[in-house]
Amino acid sequence: MWHVHGSWATSFVAGQHRYSIPAVPERGEWGRGLCGRSWPAAREVPFDRLCEREIDVVILQRPRELELFRAWTGREPGVDVPAVYVEHNTPRPSAADTRHPMADRDDIPIVHVTEFNQLMWDNGRAPTYLVRHGIPDPGYRYTGRSARTATMINEPVRRGRITGTDLLAPLSRKVPIDVYGMGTECLGSALGSTRVHGCGDLRSDDVLDAVAAHRVYVHTPRWTSLGLSLLEAMHMGMPVVALAVTEAPTTVPPDAGVLSNDVDVLADAIERFTADPDAAVAAGIRSRATAAERHGLHRFLQDWDNVLAEVIR
């Protein structure tokens, strides 16, 4: 399995298997190895030594990985070695008519991470599975002592409307918003807003504590899969204000926050939670209970065990 999405991979390699992570000398996107991650069951393997490994199944996440696996192991994914393709993303460019790269193969199943993605991609004749996200429980951390809003977005300026970056300024007109993540340092100036503050990319534990100190968590992406940062906020016991798009409506129940596609409704909800700490705490408790039940790590790993057993069989 390639190291592509670090947070997702952290959950995946917590299972009861052995994981080989390819590494190339330049440590680029096609072989970054462990990247310093503490994954006890995973081993970093130089790309030119993969041919010596006993491989039971290959986890693909990008189309080019089929070509790399052939070149590096001399084996054909889905033919010589069982394979699955994990689709992390919503379809692009078209919401309903985009054909999946694996759609013409029936020997490599597609594993979708949300029901929405499974529905919207044109999967063709490829078998599909659903394995919802699951994350390690960061614990209840909510304090809400800061009467400000928090969100976590990586590279919000570059990703723009996809992550709803343009919505941050209007959403902050009543309560300031602090944005954590890579490439956020100049966010306020890029938006021309003094009420949106980019906090930079903190270490994982530090950022969770910092975010949990805010009164409300806001989730603005228009067209992404269910963000793991949203699930982290819910696990920590935060009330959620989010766009009612993609998988968010089935993830955040009505008593855990407010979902709407009306920016004024969302801004008002942020203001109400900020003004009523007790309501924020109550919504956050429901938020945590829902996330633990639906997106816990144990369920995620059990679902993956079932998929792997079926594919190998």
Side-chain angles (χ1 to χ4, degrees), residues 45-55 72-73 75:
V45 181
F47 78 100
D48 55 356
R49 304 295 297 272
L50 278 173
C51 59
E52 303 169 6
R53 305 287 289 188
E54 292 186 13
I55 299 172
W72 293 352
T73 69
R75 287 169 271 186

Side-chain angles (χ1 to χ4, degrees), residues 74-131:
R75 287 169 271 186
E76 175 67 29
V79 178
D80 302 314
V81 178
V84 299
Y85 190 106
V86 182
E87 181 50 69
H88 295 283
N89 300 313
T90 46
R92 296 178 198 168
S94 169
D97 296 327
T98 299
R99 195 162 173 84
H100 196 275
M102 298 293 106
D104 294 322
R105 300 190 61 150
D106 58 10
D107 55 350
I108 299 181
I110 303 167
V111 178
H112 288 287
V113 298
T114 69
E115 290 98 330
F116 183 87
N117 289 0
Q118 188 176 32
L119 173 73
M120 299 303 284
W121 275 101
D122 177 358
N123 299 299
R125 59 195 182 97
T128 64
Y129 294 96
L130 171 69
V131 178

Side-chain angles (χ1 to χ4, degrees), residues 168-177 195 262-265 267-268:
L168 294 171
L171 286 172
S172 69
R173 67 177 182 267
K174 296 181 178 180
V175 181
I177 296 178
R195 299 182 64 78
D262 185 327
V263 175
D264 291 333
V265 170
D268 289 345

Side-chain angles (χ1 to χ4, degrees), residues 55-270:
I55 299 172
D56 298 304
V57 61
V58 56
I59 306 297
L60 306 165
Q61 299 168 79
R62 297 165 294 182
R64 194 188 167 199
E65 293 173 1
L66 284 87
E67 169 195 336
L68 294 178
F69 189 79
R70 293 186 200 105
W72 293 352
T73 69
R75 287 169 271 186
E76 175 67 29
V79 178
D80 302 314
V81 178
V84 299
Y85 190 106
V86 182
E87 181 50 69
H88 295 283
N89 300 313
T90 46
R92 296 178 198 168
S94 169
D97 296 327
T98 299
R99 195 162 173 84
H100 196 275
M102 298 293 106
D104 294 322
R105 300 190 61 150
D106 58 10
D107 55 350
I108 299 181
I110 303 167
V111 178
H112 288 287
V113 298
T114 69
E115 290 98 330
F116 183 87
N117 289 0
Q118 188 176 32
L119 173 73
M120 299 303 284
W121 275 101
D122 177 358
N123 299 299
R125 59 195 182 97
T128 64
Y129 294 96
L130 171 69
V131 178
R132 298 186 189 94
H133 285 311
I135 65 171
D137 185 359
Y140 184 84
R141 303 190 185 203
Y142 181 66
T143 66
R145 62 176 178 267
S146 173
R148 297 171 68 91
T149 305
T151 191
M152 293 182 271
I153 307 173
N154 284 327
E155 300 186 78
V157 176
R158 178 183 67 81
R159 297 167 73 192
R161 286 178 57 84
I162 294 290
T163 52
T165 305
D166 58 304
L167 303 176
L168 294 171
L171 286 172
S172 69
R173 67 177 182 267
K174 296 181 178 180
V175 181
I177 296 178
D178 293 333
V179 185
Y180 296 83
M182 295 184 290
T184 59
E185 293 83 356
C186 301
L187 181 58
S189 59
L191 295 176
S193 172
T194 59
R195 299 182 64 78
V196 178
H197 176 60
C199 301
D201 186 26
L202 308 183
R203 293 189 311 172
S204 57
D205 235 36
D206 293 338
V207 73
L208 294 181
D209 285 337
V211 168
H214 292 68
R215 192 70 50 82
V216 185
Y217 187 84
V218 63
H219 184 65
T220 60
R222 281 185 175 90
W223 193 246
T224 66
S225 288
L226 185 63
L228 296 183
S229 57
L230 172 63
L231 299 182
E232 288 172 333
M234 293 179 69
H235 270 85
M236 293 191 298
M238 299 190 72
V240 172
V241 171
L243 293 182
V245 296
T246 63
E247 199 69 15
T250 63
T251 301
V252 183
D255 54 355
V258 173
L259 279 80
S260 176
N261 292 325
D262 185 327
V263 175
D264 291 333
V265 170
L266 298 178
D268 289 345
I270 291 172

